[in-house]
């Protein structure tokens, strides 16, 4: 008979003070754990302390520029009484407000950027804690994000090492024997959110320890948090509603103008040629072309006159 699974537990590591650039987080965390870590434990670490240790701190006066620098694609922007909210894809592939540039839990007059490479940071911490304690632990770096169509925010995993971030149940069956074809819980996000209930936003406890889920802990080479980011080809919601409408309108307008211009050129030239032949002179051809051109413009769209003029046949 297999042993009963350990009950799920989440606790904070107390005694972690303010983190400053250059601090060794492996030492900070193992000292706070004081020998209490067990095989299969998962450390859920607020990414802010990693950003601080890596010196990812910029003056608050540069926040808008920092957002721009971290942005690779704008998804949506909305003006409001307090300014402008930008929802963007940042250089890590995350879609977030303000590219993840954060003004909370940092010194006055400063803002924090996300870690340079959250997965690499998680690996370094996991490797160091494993070597220091002799315990096989996993690491998740968490940050707070909003969600489309839902109010409020929740913590999600932005970095991971030594832990399965997705629990792939595809190919198995549910309790009623039905095949599961798409079920793949993002356990890394679930653990990040659950741990935030314990850590809190203002408690000064940036590290939680999850126990009882040792089945999710494995080698450092497991797929990391980048595996959670949906590929662009599978993203059905690449833009905000207003931006999608504007982009579609512009594309449709351009296609419509191109079609209208081509038809106007063709009809205007044909009408002018017929009239010119009837009159039998260069002057008549010019007059006929002008009449055909006018008819085509009337039928199609006046704003395209510059394009049509270029198509006027020589006498």
């Amino acid at each position: 008979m297999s042993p009963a699974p350990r009950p799920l537990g989440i606790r904070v590591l107390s005694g972690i003070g303010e983190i400053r650039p250059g601090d060794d987080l492996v030492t900070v965390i193992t000292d706070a754990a004081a020998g209490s870590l067990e095989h299969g434990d998962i450390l859920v670490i607020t990414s802010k302390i990693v950003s601080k240790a890596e010196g990812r701190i910029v003056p608050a006066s540069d926040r808008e520029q920092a957002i721009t620098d971290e942005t690779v694609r704008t998804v949506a922007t909305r003006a409001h009484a307090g300014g402008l909210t930008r929802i963007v894809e940042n250089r890590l592939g995350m879609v977030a407000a303000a590219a993840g540039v954060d003004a909370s839990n940092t010194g006055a007059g400063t803002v924090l950027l996300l870690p340079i490479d959250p997965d690499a940071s998680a690996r370094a911490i996991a490797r160091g804690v494993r070597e220091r304690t002799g315990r096989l632990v996993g690491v998740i770096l968490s940050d707070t994000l909003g969600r489309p169509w839902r109010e409020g925010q929740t913590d999600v995993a932005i970095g991971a090492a030594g832990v399965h971030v997705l629990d792939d149940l595809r190919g198995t069956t549910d309790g009623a024997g039905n095949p599961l074809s798409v079920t793949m819980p993002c356990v890394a996000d679930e653990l990040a959110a659950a741990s935030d209930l314990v850590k809190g936003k203002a408690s000064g406890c940036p590290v939680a320890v999850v126990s009882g889920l040792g089945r999710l802990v494995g080698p450092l080479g497991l797929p990391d948090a980048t595996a959670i980011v949906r590929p662009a080809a599978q993203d059905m919601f690449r833009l905000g509603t207003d931006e999608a409408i504007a982009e579609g309108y512009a594309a449709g307008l351009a296609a419509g103008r191109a079609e209208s211009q081509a038809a106007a050129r063709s009809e205007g030239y044909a009408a002018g040629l017929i009239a010119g032949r009837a009159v039998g002179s260069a002057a008549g051809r010019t007059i006929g072309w002008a009449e055909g051109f006018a008819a085509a413009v009337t039928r199609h769209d006046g704003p395209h006159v510059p394009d049509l003029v270029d198509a006027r046949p020589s006498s």
Side-chain angles (χ1 to χ4, degrees), residues 18-312:
E18 179 63 25
I19 300 299
R20 295 178 173 78
D23 282 352
D24 181 357
L25 291 182
V26 171
T27 298
V28 170
I29 291 169
T30 54
D31 286 352
S36 65
L37 296 178
E38 300 289 344
H39 287 299
D41 283 348
I42 300 171
L43 297 169
V44 182
I45 304 169
T46 302
S47 64
K48 287 182 179 63
I49 68 169
V50 179
S51 294
K52 290 178 180 180
E54 293 180 355
R56 300 281 287 163
I57 305 170
V58 298
S61 58
D62 294 337
R63 183 172 187 264
E64 292 303 316
Q65 184 59 49
I67 294 171
T68 299
D69 292 343
E70 294 288 297
T71 295
V72 298
R73 179 174 64 90
T74 298
V75 175
T77 59
R78 295 293 182 273
H80 51 83
L84 182 70
T85 295
R86 287 191 273 172
I87 307 298
V88 305
E89 177 186 345
N90 65 18
R91 55 182 181 75
L92 300 174
M94 295 167 47
V95 175
V101 178
D102 199 343
S104 64
N105 289 302
T106 184
T110 65
V111 295
L112 292 174
L113 311 182
L114 292 175
I116 295 173
D117 184 341
D119 287 319
S121 299
R123 277 193 301 275
I125 294 171
R127 183 180 294 108
V129 172
R130 290 181 178 195
E131 292 174 351
R132 190 78 59 90
T133 65
R135 300 289 189 265
L136 189 71
V137 300
V139 169
I140 291 172
L141 301 190
S142 67
D143 194 37
T144 305
L145 294 183
R147 288 81 39 77
W149 308 300
R150 301 183 72 83
E151 294 289 351
Q153 300 82 34
T154 186
D155 268 29
V156 301
I158 67 167
V163 60
H164 291 274
V165 295
L166 298 166
D167 195 7
D168 194 347
L169 301 179
R170 294 173 299 180
T172 64
T173 57
D174 63 15
N178 299 309
L180 300 176
S181 57
V182 297
T183 305
M184 191 165 55
C186 184
V187 290
D189 281 355
E190 292 176 328
L191 290 175
S195 297
D196 189 54
L197 295 175
V198 176
K199 292 185 296 179
K201 297 298 185 189
S203 65
C205 298
V207 181
V209 181
V210 178
S211 59
L213 289 176
R215 66 182 179 83
L216 297 177
V217 178
L220 296 181
L222 287 172
D224 51 32
T226 57
I228 302 172
V229 178
R230 178 165 290 164
Q234 300 175 21
D235 186 355
M236 297 174 64
F237 311 100
R238 296 276 294 168
L239 293 173
T241 302
D242 291 353
E243 288 74 18
I245 291 172
E247 187 173 290
Y249 176 80
L253 185 62
R257 282 178 171 171
E259 182 177 348
S260 178
Q261 289 167 0
R265 287 192 186 99
S266 176
E267 293 181 18
Y269 176 79
L273 185 60
I274 291 171
R277 283 174 175 170
V279 174
S281 68
R285 183 175 298 149
T286 301
I287 294 171
W289 183 89
E291 291 174 351
F293 170 77
V297 169
T298 300
R299 178 174 176 179
H300 295 279
D301 193 352
H304 310 307
V305 170
D307 296 306
L308 294 169
V309 169
D310 292 341
R312 184 179 61 193

